[in-house]
PDB file of all heavy atoms in Angstrom:
ATOM      1  N   ALA A  29       7.091 -22.583  -3.609  1.00 43.00           N
ATOM      2  CA  ALA A  29       7.084 -23.966  -2.995  1.00 43.00           C
ATOM      3  C   ALA A  29       6.767 -23.777  -1.564  1.00 43.00           C
ATOM      4  O   ALA A  29       6.217 -24.584  -0.875  1.00 43.00           O
ATOM      5  CB  ALA A  29       8.240 -24.745  -3.328  1.00 43.00           C
ATOM      6  N   THR A  30       7.507 -22.855  -0.954  1.00 58.00           N
ATOM      7  CA  THR A  30       7.521 -22.693   0.544  1.00 58.00           C
ATOM      8  C   THR A  30       6.731 -21.518   1.053  1.00 58.00           C
ATOM      9  O   THR A  30       6.773 -21.093   2.199  1.00 58.00           O
ATOM     10  CB  THR A  30       8.912 -22.566   1.022  1.00 58.00           C
ATOM     11  OG1 THR A  30       9.567 -21.486   0.480  1.00 58.00           O
ATOM     12  CG2 THR A  30       9.775 -23.869   0.756  1.00 58.00           C
ATOM     13  N   GLY A  31       5.961 -20.930   0.178  1.00 69.00           N
ATOM     14  CA  GLY A  31       5.126 -19.845   0.614  1.00 69.00           C
ATOM     15  C   GLY A  31       4.777 -18.951  -0.580  1.00 69.00           C
ATOM     16  O   GLY A  31       4.802 -19.494  -1.752  1.00 69.00           O
ATOM     17  N   LYS A  32       4.298 -17.793  -0.424  1.00 87.00           N
ATOM     18  CA  LYS A  32       3.868 -16.816  -1.466  1.00 87.00           C
ATOM     19  C   LYS A  32       4.818 -15.634  -1.606  1.00 87.00           C
ATOM     20  O   LYS A  32       5.297 -15.113  -0.563  1.00 87.00           O
ATOM     21  CB  LYS A  32       2.470 -16.443  -1.307  1.00 87.00           C
ATOM     22  CG  LYS A  32       1.441 -17.568  -1.371  1.00 87.00           C
ATOM     23  CD  LYS A  32       0.051 -17.068  -1.044  1.00 87.00           C
ATOM     24  CE  LYS A  32      -1.025 -18.192  -1.014  1.00 87.00           C
ATOM     25  NZ  LYS A  32      -2.356 -17.668  -0.721  1.00 87.00           N
ATOM     26  N   SER A  33       4.995 -15.138  -2.741  1.00 93.00           N
ATOM     27  CA  SER A  33       5.650 -13.944  -2.906  1.00 93.00           C
ATOM     28  C   SER A  33       4.552 -12.873  -3.285  1.00 93.00           C
ATOM     29  O   SER A  33       3.833 -13.007  -4.172  1.00 93.00           O
ATOM     30  CB  SER A  33       6.613 -13.919  -4.150  1.00 93.00           C
ATOM     31  OG  SER A  33       7.241 -12.686  -4.338  1.00 93.00           O
ATOM     32  N   LYS A  34       4.357 -12.038  -2.236  1.00 95.00           N
ATOM     33  CA  LYS A  34       3.215 -11.085  -2.318  1.00 95.00           C
ATOM     34  C   LYS A  34       3.854  -9.647  -2.375  1.00 95.00           C
ATOM     35  O   LYS A  34       4.657  -9.146  -1.703  1.00 95.00           O
ATOM     36  CB  LYS A  34       2.440 -11.155  -1.027  1.00 95.00           C
ATOM     37  CG  LYS A  34       1.717 -12.496  -0.688  1.00 95.00           C
ATOM     38  CD  LYS A  34       1.039 -12.455   0.594  1.00 95.00           C
ATOM     39  CE  LYS A  34       0.444 -13.858   0.863  1.00 95.00           C
ATOM     40  NZ  LYS A  34      -0.377 -13.929   2.087  1.00 95.00           N
ATOM     41  N   VAL A  35       3.197  -8.914  -3.380  1.00 97.00           N
ATOM     42  CA  VAL A  35       3.558  -7.606  -3.621  1.00 97.00           C
ATOM     43  C   VAL A  35       2.307  -6.726  -3.338  1.00 97.00           C
ATOM     44  O   VAL A  35       1.254  -6.937  -4.007  1.00 97.00           O
ATOM     45  CB  VAL A  35       4.089  -7.289  -5.009  1.00 97.00           C
ATOM     46  CG1 VAL A  35       4.348  -5.751  -5.296  1.00 97.00           C
ATOM     47  CG2 VAL A  35       5.218  -8.255  -5.359  1.00 97.00           C
ATOM     48  N   TYR A  36       2.415  -5.766  -2.432  1.00 98.00           N
ATOM     49  CA  TYR A  36       1.383  -4.874  -1.996  1.00 98.00           C
ATOM     50  C   TYR A  36       1.612  -3.530  -2.583  1.00 98.00           C
ATOM     51  O   TYR A  36       2.760  -2.894  -2.148  1.00 98.00           O
ATOM     52  CB  TYR A  36       1.198  -4.907  -0.507  1.00 98.00           C
ATOM     53  CG  TYR A  36       0.669  -6.232   0.110  1.00 98.00           C
ATOM     54  CD1 TYR A  36       1.487  -7.175   0.510  1.00 98.00           C
ATOM     55  CD2 TYR A  36      -0.735  -6.275   0.221  1.00 98.00           C
ATOM     56  CE1 TYR A  36       1.061  -8.280   1.056  1.00 98.00           C
ATOM     57  CE2 TYR A  36      -1.284  -7.448   0.845  1.00 98.00           C
ATOM     58  CZ  TYR A  36      -0.286  -8.433   1.253  1.00 98.00           C
ATOM     59  OH  TYR A  36      -0.825  -9.628   1.849  1.00 98.00           O
ATOM     60  N   ASN A  37       0.771  -2.846  -3.311  1.00 98.00           N
ATOM     61  CA  ASN A  37       0.803  -1.557  -3.701  1.00 98.00           C
ATOM     62  C   ASN A  37       0.071  -0.634  -2.651  1.00 98.00           C
ATOM     63  O   ASN A  37      -1.122  -0.765  -2.449  1.00 98.00           O
ATOM     64  CB  ASN A  37       0.266  -1.372  -5.041  1.00 98.00           C
ATOM     65  CG  ASN A  37       0.471   0.061  -5.686  1.00 98.00           C
ATOM     66  OD1 ASN A  37       0.478   1.040  -4.978  1.00 98.00           O
ATOM     67  ND2 ASN A  37       0.634   0.139  -7.097  1.00 98.00           N
ATOM     68  N   MET A  38       0.922   0.328  -2.137  1.00 98.00           N
ATOM     69  CA  MET A  38       0.223   1.108  -1.078  1.00 98.00           C
ATOM     70  C   MET A  38      -0.856   1.969  -1.638  1.00 98.00           C
ATOM     71  O   MET A  38      -1.771   2.350  -0.824  1.00 98.00           O
ATOM     72  CB  MET A  38       1.291   1.958  -0.364  1.00 98.00           C
ATOM     73  CG  MET A  38       2.348   1.168   0.410  1.00 98.00           C
ATOM     74  SD  MET A  38       1.682   0.309   1.886  1.00 98.00           S
ATOM     75  CE  MET A  38       1.513  -1.308   1.199  1.00 98.00           C
ATOM     76  N   ALA A  39      -0.912   2.233  -2.811  1.00 98.00           N
ATOM     77  CA  ALA A  39      -2.009   2.987  -3.443  1.00 98.00           C
ATOM     78  C   ALA A  39      -3.381   2.320  -3.239  1.00 98.00           C
ATOM     79  O   ALA A  39      -4.415   2.868  -3.070  1.00 98.00           O
ATOM     80  CB  ALA A  39      -1.795   3.308  -4.883  1.00 98.00           C
ATOM     81  N   ASP A  40      -3.309   0.971  -3.252  1.00 97.00           N
ATOM     82  CA  ASP A  40      -4.440   0.161  -2.970  1.00 97.00           C
ATOM     83  C   ASP A  40      -5.120   0.313  -1.641  1.00 97.00           C
ATOM     84  O   ASP A  40      -6.200  -0.052  -1.369  1.00 97.00           O
ATOM     85  CB  ASP A  40      -4.268  -1.329  -3.176  1.00 97.00           C
ATOM     86  CG  ASP A  40      -3.973  -1.667  -4.664  1.00 97.00           C
ATOM     87  OD1 ASP A  40      -4.212  -0.762  -5.615  1.00 97.00           O
ATOM     88  OD2 ASP A  40      -3.224  -2.676  -4.988  1.00 97.00           O
ATOM     89  N   PHE A  41      -4.305   0.876  -0.578  1.00 97.00           N
ATOM     90  CA  PHE A  41      -4.708   1.123   0.747  1.00 97.00           C
ATOM     91  C   PHE A  41      -5.081   2.641   0.984  1.00 97.00           C
ATOM     92  O   PHE A  41      -5.232   3.011   2.112  1.00 97.00           O
ATOM     93  CB  PHE A  41      -3.690   0.640   1.706  1.00 97.00           C
ATOM     94  CG  PHE A  41      -3.380  -0.784   1.665  1.00 97.00           C
ATOM     95  CD1 PHE A  41      -2.477  -1.363   0.840  1.00 97.00           C
ATOM     96  CD2 PHE A  41      -4.251  -1.629   2.569  1.00 97.00           C
ATOM     97  CE1 PHE A  41      -2.182  -2.707   0.875  1.00 97.00           C
ATOM     98  CE2 PHE A  41      -3.907  -3.004   2.522  1.00 97.00           C
ATOM     99  CZ  PHE A  41      -2.915  -3.575   1.666  1.00 97.00           C
ATOM    100  N   GLY A  42      -5.118   3.397  -0.158  1.00 97.00           N
ATOM    101  CA  GLY A  42      -5.498   4.744  -0.006  1.00 97.00           C
ATOM    102  C   GLY A  42      -4.478   5.737   0.126  1.00 97.00           C
ATOM    103  O   GLY A  42      -4.690   6.914   0.133  1.00 97.00           O
ATOM    104  N   LEU A  43      -3.176   5.358   0.174  1.00 97.00           N
ATOM    105  CA  LEU A  43      -2.052   6.232   0.086  1.00 97.00           C
ATOM    106  C   LEU A  43      -1.782   6.814  -1.243  1.00 97.00           C
ATOM    107  O   LEU A  43      -1.396   6.069  -2.190  1.00 97.00           O
ATOM    108  CB  LEU A  43      -0.732   5.454   0.757  1.00 97.00           C
ATOM    109  CG  LEU A  43      -0.726   5.307   2.225  1.00 97.00           C
ATOM    110  CD1 LEU A  43      -1.482   4.067   2.667  1.00 97.00           C
ATOM    111  CD2 LEU A  43       0.705   5.209   2.657  1.00 97.00           C
ATOM    112  N   LYS A  44      -1.975   8.039  -1.374  1.00 96.00           N
ATOM    113  CA  LYS A  44      -1.771   8.737  -2.651  1.00 96.00           C
ATOM    114  C   LYS A  44      -0.560   9.609  -2.558  1.00 96.00           C
ATOM    115  O   LYS A  44      -0.479  10.524  -1.759  1.00 96.00           O
ATOM    116  CB  LYS A  44      -3.060   9.538  -2.862  1.00 96.00           C
ATOM    117  CG  LYS A  44      -4.285   8.652  -2.977  1.00 96.00           C
ATOM    118  CD  LYS A  44      -5.617   9.592  -3.315  1.00 96.00           C
ATOM    119  CE  LYS A  44      -6.881   8.827  -3.269  1.00 96.00           C
ATOM    120  NZ  LYS A  44      -8.047   9.646  -3.569  1.00 96.00           N
ATOM    121  N   ALA A  45       0.395   9.385  -3.446  1.00 98.00           N
ATOM    122  CA  ALA A  45       1.458  10.180  -3.610  1.00 98.00           C
ATOM    123  C   ALA A  45       1.062  11.570  -3.999  1.00 98.00           C
ATOM    124  O   ALA A  45       0.238  11.854  -4.818  1.00 98.00           O
ATOM    125  CB  ALA A  45       2.417   9.632  -4.712  1.00 98.00           C
ATOM    126  N   ASN A  46       1.918  12.610  -3.343  1.00 98.00           N
ATOM    127  CA  ASN A  46       1.744  14.020  -3.745  1.00 98.00           C
ATOM    128  C   ASN A  46       0.337  14.576  -3.341  1.00 98.00           C
ATOM    129  O   ASN A  46      -0.034  15.652  -3.833  1.00 98.00           O
ATOM    130  CB  ASN A  46       2.058  14.258  -5.180  1.00 98.00           C
ATOM    131  CG  ASN A  46       3.317  13.737  -5.614  1.00 98.00           C
ATOM    132  OD1 ASN A  46       4.366  13.881  -4.910  1.00 98.00           O
ATOM    133  ND2 ASN A  46       3.402  12.924  -6.726  1.00 98.00           N
ATOM    134  N   SER A  47      -0.358  13.941  -2.499  1.00 97.00           N
ATOM    135  CA  SER A  47      -1.763  14.275  -2.216  1.00 97.00           C
ATOM    136  C   SER A  47      -1.782  15.343  -1.120  1.00 97.00           C
ATOM    137  O   SER A  47      -2.782  16.193  -0.908  1.00 97.00           O
ATOM    138  CB  SER A  47      -2.680  13.232  -1.787  1.00 97.00           C
ATOM    139  OG  SER A  47      -2.173  12.690  -0.639  1.00 97.00           O
ATOM    140  N   GLY A  48      -0.720  15.360  -0.240  1.00 97.00           N
ATOM    141  CA  GLY A  48      -0.592  16.255   0.930  1.00 97.00           C
ATOM    142  C   GLY A  48      -1.513  15.677   2.089  1.00 97.00           C
ATOM    143  O   GLY A  48      -1.532  16.326   3.158  1.00 97.00           O
ATOM    144  N   GLU A  49      -2.150  14.541   1.851  1.00 97.00           N
ATOM    145  CA  GLU A  49      -2.967  14.085   2.956  1.00 97.00           C
ATOM    146  C   GLU A  49      -2.150  13.328   3.886  1.00 97.00           C
ATOM    147  O   GLU A  49      -1.023  12.874   3.637  1.00 97.00           O
ATOM    148  CB  GLU A  49      -3.974  13.039   2.320  1.00 97.00           C
ATOM    149  CG  GLU A  49      -4.988  13.667   1.357  1.00 97.00           C
ATOM    150  CD  GLU A  49      -5.826  12.608   0.614  1.00 97.00           C
ATOM    151  OE1 GLU A  49      -5.699  11.419   0.960  1.00 97.00           O
ATOM    152  OE2 GLU A  49      -6.700  13.062  -0.026  1.00 97.00           O
ATOM    153  N   ASN A  50      -2.635  13.162   5.239  1.00 98.00           N
ATOM    154  CA  ASN A  50      -1.848  12.530   6.315  1.00 98.00           C
ATOM    155  C   ASN A  50      -1.874  10.933   6.011  1.00 98.00           C
ATOM    156  O   ASN A  50      -2.967  10.321   6.040  1.00 98.00           O
ATOM    157  CB  ASN A  50      -2.627  12.871   7.649  1.00 98.00           C
ATOM    158  CG  ASN A  50      -1.827  12.133   8.802  1.00 98.00           C
ATOM    159  OD1 ASN A  50      -0.759  11.642   8.630  1.00 98.00           O
ATOM    160  ND2 ASN A  50      -2.544  12.093   9.950  1.00 98.00           N
ATOM    161  N   ALA A  51      -0.736  10.381   5.755  1.00 98.00           N
ATOM    162  CA  ALA A  51      -0.522   9.028   5.428  1.00 98.00           C
ATOM    163  C   ALA A  51      -0.513   8.136   6.648  1.00 98.00           C
ATOM    164  O   ALA A  51      -0.616   6.963   6.593  1.00 98.00           O
ATOM    165  CB  ALA A  51       0.710   8.749   4.729  1.00 98.00           C
ATOM    166  N   SER A  52      -0.280   8.719   7.965  1.00 98.00           N
ATOM    167  CA  SER A  52      -0.029   7.965   9.051  1.00 98.00           C
ATOM    168  C   SER A  52      -1.178   6.940   9.406  1.00 98.00           C
ATOM    169  O   SER A  52      -0.928   5.753   9.497  1.00 98.00           O
ATOM    170  CB  SER A  52       0.123   8.897  10.287  1.00 98.00           C
ATOM    171  OG  SER A  52       1.287   9.584  10.203  1.00 98.00           O
ATOM    172  N   PRO A  53      -2.483   7.325   9.438  1.00 98.00           N
ATOM    173  CA  PRO A  53      -3.461   6.411   9.786  1.00 98.00           C
ATOM    174  C   PRO A  53      -3.718   5.290   8.706  1.00 98.00           C
ATOM    175  O   PRO A  53      -3.986   4.157   8.948  1.00 98.00           O
ATOM    176  CB  PRO A  53      -4.798   7.196  10.012  1.00 98.00           C
ATOM    177  CG  PRO A  53      -4.468   8.475   9.302  1.00 98.00           C
ATOM    178  CD  PRO A  53      -3.038   8.670   9.362  1.00 98.00           C
TER     179      PRO A  53
END
């Protein structure tokens, strides 16, 4: 009623668990 409940999955932004890639940028 007063806004939205939003759930963001960080995988959708390219952050991959256990990849060893730099997550900072």
Side-chain angles (χ1 to χ4, degrees):
T30 57
K32 297 177 182 178
S33 179
K34 300 179 179 180
V35 179
Y36 291 90
N37 189 324
M38 292 296 99
D40 294 338
F41 295 88
L43 280 84
K44 298 177 182 179
N46 307 314
S47 68
E49 298 175 0
N50 181 12
S52 295

